[in-house]
Amino acid sequence: MEFRILGTGSATPQLQRNPSAFVVTIDNFLVLIDCGEGTQYRLLEHKVKISRLRYILISHLHGDHYFGLIGLLSTLNMQKRTEPLVIFGPKGLDEIIALQLKYSGTILNFKLDFSVTDPTGFNPILETETIEIKTFPLKHRIDCTGFLLTKKKSKRKILAEKLPENFPAIFYKMLQDGHDITDELSRVTYINAECTTDGCSEKRLAYCSDTIYDESIVDYIKDVDLLYHEATFLTEQAERAKVTFHTTAAQAASIAQKANAKQLIIGHFSSRYKTTEDFLVQAQEIFPNTTLSKEGENFIF
Amino acid sequence: MEFRILGTGSATPQLQRNPSAFVVTIDNFLVLIDCGEGTQYRLLEHKVKISRLRYILISHLHGDHYFGLIGLLSTLNMQKRTEPLVIFGPKGLDEIIALQLKYSGTILNFKLDFSVTDPTGFNPILETETIEIKTFPLKHRIDCTGFLLTKKKSKRKILAEKLPENFPAIFYKMLQDGHDITDELSRVTYINAECTTDGCSEKRLAYCSDTIYDESIVDYIKDVDLLYHEATFLTEQAERAKVTFHTTAAQAASIAQKANAKQLIIGHFSSRYKTTEDFLVQAQEIFPNTTLSKEGENFIF
């Protein structure tokens, strides 16, 4: 599972920090989480193949989290995409997109499958053979959801050198599922433990942006492998964080600690801070395995 | 009058070419023409003070000409702007903006004065003491207008060293208007020609993007000082230009020549061309005073 950061900034535009957008790579497809203005240019810059995009998750309708979406959709359409695209986002987003498509005279070549997220409760929104995505409520000035992405434990990996050529596909799948196999024709038994190794273990990523400090998040994200949590302010501006429904670096670290997360990445830094070292210092006092988000950086976990 | 280019590209996003946006400086205020995605970042990059923005003109509702508008408006609002802002644009733009403001829970601090442009005919849309703006029809795949901006001849410039201190304001204005003045108290006559010099002459800028080659444009833009005309394709793709309702470099030059423009700037280059030298060669064969648009370049005329 990979998590690439395309934006480390918050609402006020800055040249050195782009607005929120994150790409999750799961096997051979991509999930985009939030899509601030200019996201399609960041995707180009980091050579992310947007044809591999399968799901887009939008947390809330503040511009720094979605103003780039219509541009990205237009570009996918110009690229003659035909594969369906699934968007999960707040009520109203489909209306905004439909209106913009209408006035530009655009009819999409691909199916846009839009699902409205519920800003209350812990809700499964997607389950496939490889992943599961759930939303959970964040407390912000408008409806906002966090996302919990689970990459399921993968099947057993086949050791090809242990098998004959033309090994039947049906046996191949049975080995992946952990079974021993006896080929009754050739009277050979393939012991699973000898022909396979463990697949990748389950991985979980939680995404929390934007939100006031809210301990009720903890229950939804227990033991995640990677927690991205906004940290718009330093402790000195804790009051400002509260008023604007944002979080400080120390508060994000506290959430990570209470949730027993393995790793914390903080971002969504306010434009008032020219440097971000203090965010790391304040967070690491509480949760040592904290990393600052950096433009374009890719985390493999 | 100044004309700054913030984007030289067309619909397909490219890292080296931004989408359409242009800033016109007239005296102490700014007019923004078109506002593709990321325009507010280009304004930041080129240190354009957006507090000086007074008018925004949107030619049509293809995304590379307006997807950056909502982001710019949101930023002006975060900057606590209170001065009204006037937008001229196609039918539907106000609906799109209103919907996006609604779902983000935003109430603007400033008055947004929106006027729908008429995509037919030659229409005055603004006249003040210093400028006049007219729209004219462009032939594109959807409704589209060009803009003709006239900076009026300015008043006579006062030679301060020729006047006494505490010179009455009323006399000052009369001199600017070209009158001689006799101060009956001090029995002194101020001859206008001795106390003033000519003000700036009238300047006219025409903006044509996007359009098929259309000679009917010529009548609207006769003798302009500066013509910006799109040149999406080279002559080799003239057929493609026609089908997509765009113009070639040579066709743009032909419009400039027929209109007797003083200078032509071409832009809106298709992403298929990695370099633009051939655009200049093909245009200059027909209209020698052609310049290629470059990212961030400012023309003073």
Side-chain angles (χ1 to χ4, degrees):
Chain A
M1 205 165 178
E2 297 180 30
F3 181 69
R4 188 187 288 276
I5 292 156
L6 299 180
T8 65
S10 53
T12 300
Q14 301 170 266
L15 288 178
Q16 69 276 30
R17 295 187 195 128
N18 291 295
S20 292
F22 305 85
V23 181
V24 183
T25 305
I26 298 174
D27 294 334
N28 59 344
F29 65 88
L30 307 177
V31 181
L32 179 68
I33 310 182
D34 283 343
C35 187
E37 184 173 354
T39 294
Q40 61 170 331
Y41 293 88
R42 302 292 78 71
L43 291 163
L44 259 179
E45 189 180 337
H46 299 295
K47 300 183 172 51
V48 177
K49 282 193 182 162
I50 57 176
S51 58
R52 290 170 62 206
L53 258 177
R54 197 174 293 173
Y55 306 104
I56 298 179
L57 317 176
I58 301 293
S59 64
H60 67 300
L61 295 187
H62 280 156
D64 56 321
H65 293 259
Y66 91 96
F67 281 167
L69 180 59
I70 182 68
L72 176 61
L73 296 179
S74 303
T75 298
L76 287 169
N77 199 46
M78 281 190 290
Q79 289 183 352
K80 309 283 180 212
R81 181 188 180 104
T82 53
E83 200 198 344
L85 182 70
V86 182
I87 301 181
F88 296 97
K91 180 174 174 289
L93 182 56
D94 51 342
E95 196 182 338
I96 293 167
I97 292 169
L99 197 65
Q100 292 187 298
L101 293 176
K102 171 185 150 188
Y103 282 115
S104 65
T106 305
I107 296 165
L108 293 180
N109 312 309
F110 59 92
K111 184 167 179 279
L112 197 61
D113 181 356
F114 186 86
S115 291
V116 175
T117 48
D118 178 351
T120 62
F122 193 35
N123 303 302
I125 56 172
L126 181 78
E127 180 156 11
T128 72
E129 206 173 296
T130 50
I131 63 161
E132 185 185 273
I133 304 178
K134 291 182 174 179
T135 62
F136 53 89
L138 297 178
K139 287 202 182 91
H140 196 44
R141 302 192 303 275
I142 58 173
D143 285 348
C144 186
T145 64
F147 297 102
L148 178 67
L149 288 84
T150 303
K151 178 178 184 277
K152 295 181 182 175
K153 184 176 184 306
S154 60
K155 294 188 171 182
R156 298 193 63 78
K157 284 184 183 163
I158 307 287
L159 298 168
E161 68 275 17
K162 303 282 186 180
L163 302 176
E165 281 183 33
N166 301 321
F167 191 67
I170 180 76
F171 288 178
Y172 203 90
K173 286 189 177 170
M174 288 169 72
L175 282 176
Q176 283 181 316
D177 289 337
H179 305 291
D180 296 331
I181 291 159
T182 302
D183 184 338
E184 300 199 354
L185 275 177
S186 56
R187 297 184 193 172
V188 180
T189 295
Y190 299 94
I191 308 295
N192 198 283
E194 291 172 2
C195 306
T196 69
T197 57
D198 279 348
C200 295
S201 59
E202 179 185 280
K203 295 286 177 187
R204 296 194 311 140
L205 161 71
Y207 175 83
C208 304
S209 180
D210 299 4
T211 183
I212 200 168
Y213 175 69
D214 175 16
E215 293 183 2
S216 72
I217 292 173
V218 170
D219 286 342
Y220 306 120
I221 63 172
K222 273 278 181 207
D223 307 319
V224 290
D225 297 280
L226 182 64
L227 168 62
Y228 171 88
H229 198 292
E230 73 127 297
T232 309
F233 295 102
L234 292 173
T235 301
E236 293 75 2
Q237 278 75 38
E239 193 48 40
R240 176 101 190 117
K242 201 171 168 184
V243 170
T244 57
F245 286 77
H246 283 299
T247 309
T248 67
Q251 289 170 341
S254 179
I255 296 290
Q257 186 198 43
K258 288 181 201 306
N260 191 35
K262 291 197 182 59
Q263 183 178 7
L264 169 66
I265 298 174
I266 51 174
H268 200 268
F269 307 119
S270 163
S271 63
R272 71 177 62 201
Y273 306 106
K274 298 306 160 216
T275 60
T276 50
E277 292 85 352
D278 289 348
F279 284 82
L280 191 62
V281 171
Q282 293 187 0
Q284 285 188 332
E285 274 176 20
I286 294 161
F287 189 80
N289 196 14
T290 303
T291 308
L292 293 175
S293 57
K294 293 204 186 81
E295 296 292 327
E297 199 161 7
N298 196 36
F299 291 84
I300 302 173
F301 63 102
Chain B
M1 207 164 178
E2 297 179 30
F3 181 70
R4 188 187 288 276
I5 291 156
L6 298 180
T8 64
S10 54
T12 300
Q14 301 171 266
L15 288 178
Q16 69 276 29
R17 295 185 196 132
N18 291 295
S20 292
F22 305 85
V23 180
V24 183
T25 304
I26 299 174
D27 294 335
N28 59 344
F29 65 89
L30 307 176
V31 181
L32 179 68
I33 309 181
D34 283 343
C35 187
E37 184 173 356
T39 295
Q40 61 171 332
Y41 292 89
R42 303 290 79 72
L43 291 163
L44 260 179
E45 188 180 338
H46 299 297
K47 298 183 173 51
V48 177
K49 282 193 184 163
I50 57 175
S51 58
R52 292 169 62 207
L53 258 178
R54 197 175 292 174
Y55 306 105
I56 298 179
L57 317 177
I58 301 294
S59 63
H60 67 300
L61 294 186
H62 280 156
D64 57 321
H65 293 259
Y66 92 97
F67 281 165
L69 180 59
I70 183 67
L72 176 59
L73 296 179
S74 303
T75 298
L76 287 169
N77 199 46
M78 280 190 290
Q79 289 184 353
K80 308 286 182 210
R81 180 188 180 104
T82 53
E83 200 197 344
L85 183 70
V86 183
I87 301 181
F88 297 98
K91 179 173 173 293
L93 182 56
D94 51 343
E95 196 182 337
I96 292 167
I97 293 169
L99 196 66
Q100 292 188 297
L101 293 176
K102 171 185 150 189
Y103 282 115
S104 64
T106 305
I107 295 165
L108 294 179
N109 311 308
F110 60 93
K111 185 169 178 277
L112 198 61
D113 183 356
F114 186 86
S115 291
V116 175
T117 48
D118 178 351
T120 62
F122 193 34
N123 303 303
I125 55 171
L126 182 78
E127 180 155 13
T128 72
E129 206 173 294
T130 50
I131 62 160
E132 186 185 272
I133 304 178
K134 290 181 175 179
T135 63
F136 53 89
L138 297 177
K139 286 202 184 93
H140 195 44
R141 301 192 303 274
I142 57 172
D143 284 347
C144 186
T145 64
F147 297 103
L148 178 68
L149 288 83
T150 303
K151 178 178 183 279
K152 295 181 182 175
K153 184 177 183 307
S154 62
K155 295 188 171 184
R156 296 192 65 77
K157 282 185 183 164
I158 306 286
L159 298 167
E161 66 277 15
K162 304 281 186 179
L163 302 176
E165 281 184 32
N166 301 322
F167 190 69
I170 179 76
F171 287 180
Y172 202 94
K173 285 191 177 170
M174 288 169 71
L175 282 176
Q176 284 182 314
D177 287 339
H179 304 293
D180 295 332
I181 289 159
T182 302
D183 183 340
E184 299 200 352
L185 274 178
S186 56
R187 296 186 192 168
V188 181
T189 294
Y190 298 93
I191 307 295
N192 197 286
E194 292 172 0
C195 306
T196 69
T197 57
D198 280 349
C200 293
S201 59
E202 180 185 280
K203 295 285 178 188
R204 295 194 310 141
L205 162 71
Y207 175 84
C208 305
S209 180
D210 299 4
T211 183
I212 200 169
Y213 175 68
D214 175 16
E215 293 184 4
S216 73
I217 292 173
V218 170
D219 286 342
Y220 305 119
I221 62 171
K222 272 276 178 207
D223 306 319
V224 289
D225 296 279
L226 183 63
L227 167 62
Y228 171 88
H229 198 292
E230 72 127 295
T232 309
F233 294 103
L234 292 173
T235 301
E236 292 75 0
Q237 277 75 37
E239 194 48 41
R240 176 100 191 119
K242 202 170 167 184
V243 170
T244 58
F245 285 77
H246 283 298
T247 310
T248 67
Q251 289 170 340
S254 178
I255 296 289
Q257 186 198 42
K258 289 181 201 304
N260 191 37
K262 290 196 182 60
Q263 183 177 5
L264 168 66
I265 298 174
I266 51 175
H268 201 268
F269 307 119
S270 163
S271 63
R272 72 176 61 202
Y273 306 107
K274 298 305 161 219
T275 61
T276 51
E277 291 86 352
D278 289 348
F279 284 82
L280 193 62
V281 171
Q282 294 188 357
Q284 285 188 331
E285 274 176 20
I286 294 161
F287 189 80
N289 196 15
T290 303
T291 308
L292 293 175
S293 57
K294 292 203 186 82
E295 295 292 326
E297 198 161 8
N298 195 36
F299 290 83
I300 301 173
F301 63 102

